[in-house]
Each structure stands twice: as C-alpha cells, then as structure tokens.
Amino acid sequence: DIQMTQSPSTLSASVGDRVTITCRASQSISSWLAWYQQKPGKAPKLLIYKASSLESGVPSRFSGSGSGTEFTLTISSLQPDDFATYYCQQYNSYSPLPFGQGTRLEIK
Amino acid sequence: QVTLRESGPALVKPTQTLTLTCTFSGFSLSTSGMCVSWIRQPPGKALEWLARIDWDDDKYYSTSLKTRLTISKDTSKNQVVLTMTNMDPVDTATYYCARSDSGWYDYWGQGTLVTVSS
C-alpha cells in the first residue's frame, strides 16, 4: 500500500509569510495528488488536484507542485483565513491509506 | 448543485452495528467514473478513509476495517449506506461521505459525529 507522509506536522507562521508543506509518497504516484484545507468543525475543502491544478474559487496564493514521490503546497502570503490543517491525498491507485497525517498551520 | 448529507445515530453502544446513510443530489452514481467514499475523523486526529463504492458497484474497503464494513448504494434514492459492526469507543468520530469522479474529493458532506458509549 502507498503511504503518504506530510511534514512538518505543525507549522507556526505569521500573516504575510510564505509557507511550504511537503507530502511524500512511499512510491511514485505520478501527479495524482490532491490537497485539502480543513478548519475546526468543518469538512475538508479541496484546494489543489493533479498536484498543481487550482480548484475553482481557491485563491491564487495557493499553489501546488511536484511529481513522483515528493510534492509541496505553498501559500505565497499567509492570510488570517489560512490558519487551518492541511491534508494531502493520493489517488494514483487504490490504497486504503490515501491521506497524509495532516499539517496544522498555526499563528506564530 | 452538488450536495451530500450524512445521517444516522449520534450515539451507539459498544458492540452495536452502526448504519449511516449518505443522501446526495446534483449527480448520479450511475454515471461512469462516479464514486462515493466514507471517511472518518476521530476528535483531534487525521482523516481515515473507510470505504468506497463506484458507479459500477465495485467496492473497496479499509484493510484494517474490512471485516466490519459494508457499503452499498441505492441509485434510485441517491443514497449510499455504510454499516459498521461491533462498534467500539475508538470508533467515535465524525463520519463524512464525499464524492469523487476523477480520484480527488470535490464535494463533501458536513459530517456526522458518532459517539460510541454505554
């Protein structure tokens, strides 16, 4: 089974900072990766699919890159609304463990 | 407009069977490539994928939970049902259903909190 590992688990940053979250797959998943944002008490929200395609309505400060086994989610200039938990998800092949363990982005 | 909504009991006792229903609108689960999955999240923890049912009735289950899970669909009612047997307090979580047609989950229900306690 493909396993997804995110780093860091927690990230402290300030409004205006540029931040990067990394997701690594245990084997190549080509570009079949999505990123989600989740706020407390809410369902996850799709941000990025196919590693770098921005979902409609998502601000352009969010971007995704990578292929194979290493991927990144970058927020170019943090806004107050961006403090949340972020998850990656692979969909290259069926796996019972498609999600990473999450990265909590907190205010410094 | 695509919507999904989970329904089921908020409280179940240990050893009981949980039945959750995902009622959706705005798409058809008979459309080629369409899938609905169940995903849960224990309080303060990460997302855990549970099961998926495809438009052609293929079914996939979490390796660790497959002996306890059954997923089914009623295309005419636009519903997907998940049953989980032998519930335990560690199964306390918010349970989500979500739609995918290309691998990623573009629409999610709001989630339903299920507490397992005697």
Side-chain angles (χ1 to χ4, degrees):
Chain A
D1 296 339
I2 298 174
Q3 297 195 23
M4 309 302 293
T5 304
Q6 288 182 235
S7 60
S9 297
T10 305
L11 180 57
S12 298
S14 302
V15 172
D17 284 354
R18 177 185 180 90
V19 300
T20 298
I21 298 168
T22 298
C23 180
R24 289 185 173 88
S26 59
Q27 63 191 73
S28 178
I29 58 170
S30 185
S31 296
W32 305 122
L33 185 98
W35 289 97
Y36 302 86
Q37 177 193 66
Q38 187 181 32
K39 296 181 179 178
K42 300 294 187 182
K45 172 188 173 184
L46 177 67
L47 299 176
I48 302 280
Y49 59 93
K50 289 183 189 175
S52 61
S53 296
L54 195 67
E55 173 70 346
S56 177
V58 173
S60 59
R61 64 181 180 272
F62 291 92
S63 64
S65 66
S67 66
T69 61
E70 187 153 335
F71 302 85
T72 58
L73 172 70
T74 299
I75 309 172
S76 60
S77 178
L78 270 177
Q79 298 301 302
D81 191 50
D82 300 338
F83 292 96
T85 300
Y86 293 85
Y87 292 93
C88 62
Q89 176 231 339
Q90 72 85 13
Y91 52 94
N92 175 71
S93 61
Y94 163 69
S95 168
L97 301 169
F99 294 102
Q101 80 277 18
T103 295
R104 182 183 173 211
L105 178 54
E106 60 181 28
I107 300 173
K108 184 185 287 185
Chain B
Q1 180 189 3
V2 173
T3 64
L4 300 98
R5 185 182 77 251
E6 306 88 351
S7 59
L11 179 65
V12 297
K13 291 180 167 48
T15 76
Q16 286 187 336
T17 294
L18 171 69
T19 299
L20 295 173
T21 300
C22 175
T23 302
F24 57 87
S25 63
F27 67 97
S28 173
L29 198 41
S30 60
T31 299
S32 178
M34 200 66 69
C35 314
V36 171
S37 293
W38 284 94
I39 297 151
R40 72 178 180 180
Q41 186 172 39
K45 296 189 177 181
L47 300 169
E48 178 185 16
W49 179 86
L50 298 177
R52 186 183 103 196
I53 190 163
D54 295 354
W55 65 282
D56 57 1
D57 212 37
D58 279 350
K59 300 165 187 174
Y60 303 85
Y61 295 100
S62 162
T63 303
S64 60
L65 294 169
K66 63 182 177 182
T67 61
R68 300 173 52 205
L69 295 174
T70 303
I71 192 169
S72 62
K73 63 181 174 71
D74 186 330
T75 305
S76 65
K77 292 183 178 179
N78 282 350
Q79 291 181 333
V80 171
V81 175
L82 181 76
T83 62
M84 180 180 293
T85 61
N86 195 26
M87 293 293 284
D88 183 271
V90 300
D91 297 313
T92 293
T94 296
Y95 288 74
Y96 296 99
C97 60
R99 180 193 95 150
S100 63
D101 64 357
S102 300
W104 58 87
Y105 299 105
D106 53 357
Y107 291 94
W108 297 64
Q110 84 280 8
T112 186
L113 176 61
V114 177
T115 301
V116 184
S117 175
S118 55

